Amino acid sequence: LTKINKAVAKIKFFILKFPLIIIVKLILKANIQKIILLLMRKKRLAIVQIKFYKLAFFSVFLGMIVETEAVVLQVRKFGDTSKIAVLYTKEMGKISIIAKGAFTSKSRFGAALEPLSYVHLSFYQKNTDSLHLLKTIEIAEPFNRIAKNYDTVIAGFTVLEFLSSVQADNHSNYDVFNTLIIYLKQLNYDANSFSTSTIFLFRLADAIGYRIDFNFITSIYNNELEKIKISLENAQPVLIAKNANYHQLSVELLKKINFLLHNSNIMLTSNEFKEIAIFFRIFFSFHLDKKITIKSIDLLL
């Protein structure tokens, strides 16, 4: 009786799922194999539907999956086990992500989630939140030499802070991204990180619309002049200081910068790079109408 009931149940299920004319034709031909194949096809369709609904669920609640290249700008601890990182991505510009479980010994993210890392990542893009969820991350190209030198690390951190401060969220700039990757490659091999970082800051200013040219220094012949007042509006010498926004730089440093920007092999010291960084902090603060703080400047020795 049990076997009969099961058979009847299967037949009822079959009749409900498929048009009667197909069933009759198959029974008349006594083609059991086709009946089985038809059932299997229906099962495959059900599996496809399940996968579709799962994808829809993750898209709604977790966000669409985005894959891109990026440079890690900043990382901080969040809660007991997670990290929040600020990245500059190729496709979306500056974004923030949360890496759940990144602060545990079993973290699958490894050393990729560290500042100055050039990475390839995938994340769930949240449409209603500025904090995206990290899915995977791996090193795109290792820059192992950077971490071996204190001056190089601090110069690199200074540049990353500037980039994070002057770039708005979710605004991509391919020129800035490509310039950043070239900078990291040079930083990994160049002997003088301060010169390399100075060149990047000038290129960054140019890329966001504030070209700075100190070529005027070649026409300064007054040997007694020690410092020049530089206008924050156009980065040119201030002739009348009254009611002008300016910052003073030494003539010697201005000459060095000018030689450096014209492909000369100039070595800058830590103090000289610190002066340059302070100038850019004041310059960007003036033009972006906000106070910019670069903490890494204080770590320059």
Side-chain angles (χ1 to χ4, degrees):
L1 186 61
T2 304
K3 289 182 179 181
I4 294 173
N5 290 335
K6 286 183 178 180
V8 170
K10 287 182 180 179
I11 292 169
K12 286 182 179 180
F13 173 81
F14 189 73
I15 291 172
L16 289 171
K17 291 295 180 182
F18 300 97
L20 184 60
I21 189 168
I22 295 176
I23 299 170
V24 172
K25 285 182 178 179
L26 291 174
I27 292 173
L28 288 175
K29 291 183 178 180
N31 196 333
I32 304 301
Q33 185 179 4
K34 285 190 176 181
I35 295 175
I36 294 170
L37 288 173
L38 196 60
L39 284 168
M40 289 176 65
R41 188 189 307 167
K42 199 69 178 179
K43 184 178 180 181
R44 284 198 298 270
L45 288 172
I47 292 171
V48 170
Q49 284 183 325
I50 290 170
K51 288 183 178 179
F52 173 79
Y53 288 127
K54 284 175 69 177
L55 179 61
F57 172 83
F58 283 112
S59 298
V60 171
F61 292 99
L62 294 180
M64 294 297 294
I65 296 176
V66 177
E67 293 186 4
T68 185
E69 298 171 34
V71 173
V72 181
L73 303 182
Q74 299 171 359
V75 180
R76 62 183 175 87
K77 187 178 179 182
F78 181 75
D80 294 329
T81 61
S82 301
K83 290 181 180 179
I84 289 179
V86 179
L87 311 176
Y88 193 75
T89 69
K90 185 176 183 179
E91 307 298 336
M92 297 177 59
K94 189 177 72 171
I95 64 169
S96 297
I97 61 168
I98 182 168
K100 294 186 176 180
F103 220 87
T104 63
S105 58
K106 296 181 180 180
S107 172
R108 66 184 187 278
F109 303 126
L113 207 60
E114 296 294 336
L116 296 171
S117 295
Y118 174 32
V119 299
H120 185 275
L121 74 151
S122 62
F123 61 91
Y124 296 103
Q125 182 184 2
K126 297 294 187 69
N127 296 323
T128 58
D129 194 354
S130 59
L131 189 62
H132 310 294
L133 177 61
L134 181 63
K135 184 176 184 287
T136 62
I137 188 169
E138 60 183 6
I139 298 289
E141 183 176 345
F143 300 127
N144 298 326
R145 295 185 182 182
I146 293 178
K148 295 180 180 180
N149 184 280
Y150 177 83
D151 287 343
T152 304
V153 171
I154 300 305
F157 282 1
T158 301
V159 162
L160 295 187
E161 282 194 74
F162 271 112
L163 182 60
S164 181
S165 298
V166 304
Q167 290 290 287
D169 291 345
N170 304 313
H171 288 280
S172 62
N173 187 319
Y174 287 150
D175 289 339
V176 172
F177 183 83
N178 292 331
T179 302
L180 179 60
I181 300 303
I182 293 171
Y183 163 72
L184 290 176
K185 291 179 179 180
Q186 292 174 338
L187 195 66
N188 194 45
Y189 291 102
D190 285 1
N192 191 268
S193 57
F194 300 132
S195 297
T196 304
S197 300
T198 296
I199 292 172
F200 176 84
L201 290 177
F202 276 88
R203 289 176 177 171
L204 175 62
D206 192 17
I208 63 175
Y210 304 111
R211 184 174 179 80
I212 300 174
D213 187 356
F214 288 159
N215 198 46
F216 65 81
I217 197 65
T218 57
S219 60
I220 301 296
Y221 300 105
N222 186 349
N223 294 328
E224 295 181 358
L225 193 62
E226 294 184 358
K227 291 188 176 183
I228 294 179
K229 297 180 177 68
I230 306 298
S231 169
L232 297 179
E233 294 182 4
N234 57 15
Q236 294 299 297
V238 173
L239 300 178
I240 301 175
K242 186 177 180 181
N243 298 325
N245 294 294
Y246 64 87
H247 181 75
Q248 292 191 101
L249 289 174
S250 69
V251 172
E252 182 183 356
L253 180 57
L254 287 167
K255 287 181 177 179
K256 273 192 170 185
I257 293 171
N258 194 54
F259 284 134
L260 178 65
L261 297 178
H262 289 81
N263 300 317
S264 297
N265 188 18
I266 298 295
M267 304 284 282
L268 295 176
T269 67
S270 175
N271 284 333
E272 288 171 335
F273 179 65
K274 188 172 185 177
E275 283 189 58
I276 294 167
I278 291 172
F279 166 76
F280 272 103
R281 177 179 59 77
I282 296 171
F283 181 83
F284 285 137
S285 296
F286 175 80
H287 281 279
L288 299 177
D289 196 25
K290 66 176 182 178
K291 183 179 180 181
I292 293 177
T293 302
I294 308 297
K295 295 181 180 179
S296 298
I297 292 177
D298 296 331
L299 300 177
L300 292 167
L301 300 177

